[in-house]
């Protein structure tokens, strides 16, 4: 990633939403395809208010949890953050269980998406217990694997970079609506990419994507990609809300049974209050990949610094 001044980086973060938005008609088609509201598809950068968190929460006895936010194809940042976590974990009392919980969105937007998956399933993390959650971007990849026609929507919010990382160039279908012939050609181009991607996607990667969990509970914490719908018991939460919810969860004020640790909605910094801990700091463009360290009743944070 080129070296940028802090001012330029902040400007990029402020414009992050624009990178995944398109015309009104496109958003309507995406809503129809996903059966989800528009604000679930768009990425909104939030400027969180300063919050205090007097609520005391407990990690499981004898366990230190490191929860890692959205990676989005930045394997370089992931390697740096894991190195920090490894160094930090060496200071833990002997016999402490060390757990890494990844909150989803490993791929898309960053060109190192395949490298991220190779890193996660490799040997580097073998000294930790690892838990991998599903993100909405992994859900999108799985949908593309079963529906070639979904590719033209997936690439508009980051799937193109994932395809590039696996050695495929997404078709240029901008002119596909100009004629029936152009539309047919675009469809055939996507079917060719779809067939090749399905054939060449490593089995261990497919197994990884299919094994991702919807959520994880540990001590007083609930880990999930996007959040939870207020006033709905955990066992009744929909999979779509766990992966896509934004404002209904973020703007509510009522506390949940657990502190919700999540990613999905990028902000300029880590957020913590009595309800939730938000760990998506827009790593793919900001250079800041963040993690929460949860040990006993202590809550602290680690992150990479922009370069």
């Amino acid at each position: 990633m080129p070296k940028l001044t802090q001012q330029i980086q902040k400007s990029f973060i402020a414009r992050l939403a624009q990178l995944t938005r398109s015309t009104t008609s496109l958003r309507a088609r995406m809503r129809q395809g996903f059966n989800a509201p528009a604000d679930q598809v768009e990425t909104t950068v939030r400027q969180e208010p300063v919050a205090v968190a007097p609520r005391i929460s407990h990690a499981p006895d004898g366990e230190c949890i490191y929860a890692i936010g959205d990676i989005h194809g930045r394997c370089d940042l992931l390697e740096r953050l894991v190195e920090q976590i490894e160094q930090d974990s060496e200071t833990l009392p002997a016999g402490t269980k060390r757990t890494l919980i990844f909150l989803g969105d490993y791929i898309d937007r960053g060109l190192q998406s395949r490298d991220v998956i190779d890193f996660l399933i490799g040997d580097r993390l073998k000294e930790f217990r690892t838990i991998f959650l599903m993100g909405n971007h992994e859900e999108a990849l799985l949908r593309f694997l079963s529906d070639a026609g979904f590719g033209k929507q997936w690439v508009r919010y980051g799937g193109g970079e994932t395809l590039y990382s696996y050695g495929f160039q997404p078709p240029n279908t901008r002119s596909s609506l100009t004629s029936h012939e152009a539309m047919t050609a675009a469809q055939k181009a996507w079917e060719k990419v779809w067939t090749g991607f399905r054939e060449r996607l490593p089995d261990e990667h497919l197994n990884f994507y299919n094994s991702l969990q919807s959520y994880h509970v540990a001590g007083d914490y609930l880990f999930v990609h996007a959040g939870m719908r207020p006033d709905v018991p955990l066992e009744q939460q929909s999979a779509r809300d766990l992966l896509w919810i934004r404002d209904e969860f973020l703007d509510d004020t009522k506390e949940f049974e657990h502190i919700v640790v999540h990613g999905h909605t990028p902000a300029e910094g880590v957020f913590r209050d009595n309800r939730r801990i938000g760990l998506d700091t827009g790593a793919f463009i900001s250079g800041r990949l963040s993690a929460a360290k949860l040990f006993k009743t202590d809550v602290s944070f680690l992150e990479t610094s922009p370069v």
Side-chain angles (χ1 to χ4, degrees):
M1 182 178 181
K3 290 187 177 181
L4 302 172
T5 65
Q6 293 294 326
Q7 182 178 2
I8 294 174
Q9 289 176 359
K10 187 173 182 179
S11 174
F12 276 159
I13 281 291
R15 294 167 50 204
L16 182 58
Q18 299 176 11
L19 298 178
T20 55
R21 292 178 179 171
S22 186
T23 62
T24 301
S25 61
L26 171 62
R27 293 198 297 268
R29 290 198 299 273
M30 291 177 73
R31 276 202 308 277
Q32 183 178 6
F34 274 90
N35 190 28
D39 63 354
Q40 292 181 340
V41 174
E42 298 174 353
T43 298
T44 304
V45 180
R46 293 174 65 92
Q47 294 184 347
E48 302 284 13
V50 176
V52 294
R55 179 179 174 183
I56 297 176
S57 50
H58 297 258
D61 291 340
E63 181 176 6
C64 181
I65 296 174
Y66 298 92
I68 298 176
D70 302 35
I71 301 165
H72 277 306
R74 289 298 302 271
C75 193
D76 55 334
L77 302 182
L78 175 60
E79 291 177 355
R80 285 161 49 191
L81 185 60
V82 167
E83 184 177 354
Q84 292 183 42
I85 291 173
E86 288 172 334
Q87 294 173 356
D88 184 87
S89 69
E90 292 176 358
T91 67
L92 295 170
T96 302
K97 180 190 298 184
R98 301 182 298 168
T99 299
L100 294 178
I101 300 179
F102 293 86
L103 300 178
D105 280 7
Y106 315 105
I107 60 170
D108 291 357
R109 296 182 176 151
L111 290 171
Q112 300 168 339
S113 290
R114 176 176 181 159
D115 296 334
V116 168
I117 306 304
D118 283 332
F119 183 90
L120 294 176
I121 65 178
D123 292 334
R124 179 65 181 275
L125 306 179
K126 63 182 180 180
E127 300 301 322
F128 293 85
R129 175 194 182 206
T130 53
I131 295 170
F132 301 103
L133 303 186
M134 173 80 75
N136 59 302
H137 286 260
E138 288 75 51
E139 181 193 54
L141 179 145
L142 290 172
R143 177 166 180 181
F144 176 62
L145 287 174
S146 63
D147 179 7
F150 182 66
K152 60 182 178 294
Q153 297 181 18
W154 180 32
V155 298
R156 295 185 186 275
Y157 58 98
E161 289 84 346
T162 295
L163 288 173
Y164 275 118
S165 76
Y166 281 98
F168 295 91
Q169 181 172 343
N172 185 348
T173 58
R174 293 181 180 178
S175 61
S176 62
L177 299 180
T178 60
S179 68
H180 176 73
E181 291 76 14
M183 185 179 300
T184 300
Q187 181 178 349
K188 290 183 177 179
W190 268 113
E191 289 176 352
K192 182 177 180 180
V193 170
W194 177 74
T195 300
F197 185 60
R198 284 165 53 94
E199 291 176 348
R200 289 166 49 186
L201 181 68
D203 288 342
E204 58 269 27
H205 285 217
L206 179 60
N207 293 337
F208 173 82
Y209 293 125
N210 282 323
S211 69
L212 299 175
Q213 301 176 210
S214 297
Y215 64 86
H216 178 73
V217 177
D220 291 336
Y221 299 99
L222 182 142
F223 303 85
V224 67
H225 176 62
M228 296 175 61
R229 185 164 295 281
D231 299 320
V232 176
L234 176 59
E235 62 274 11
Q236 296 178 22
Q237 296 279 334
S238 72
R240 183 154 300 279
D241 280 339
L242 297 178
L243 294 178
W244 288 95
I245 197 168
R246 288 198 195 277
D247 292 344
E248 298 94 331
F249 163 66
L250 299 172
D251 294 338
D252 199 70
T253 59
K254 294 183 291 297
E255 295 183 9
F256 294 95
E257 178 182 358
H258 300 87
I259 298 288
V260 180
V261 184
H262 68 95
H264 185 56
T265 300
E268 293 185 351
V270 168
F271 178 81
R272 180 192 177 200
D273 66 7
N274 281 336
R275 302 175 62 247
R276 63 185 182 90
I277 297 173
L279 293 176
D280 184 356
T281 46
F284 83 98
I285 193 66
S286 71
R288 298 175 61 193
L289 178 61
S290 301
K293 175 186 178 182
L294 311 172
F295 183 51
K296 299 181 179 180
T297 59
D298 295 334
V299 179
S300 58
F301 302 98
L302 302 90
E303 70 172 23
T304 60
S305 299
V307 294

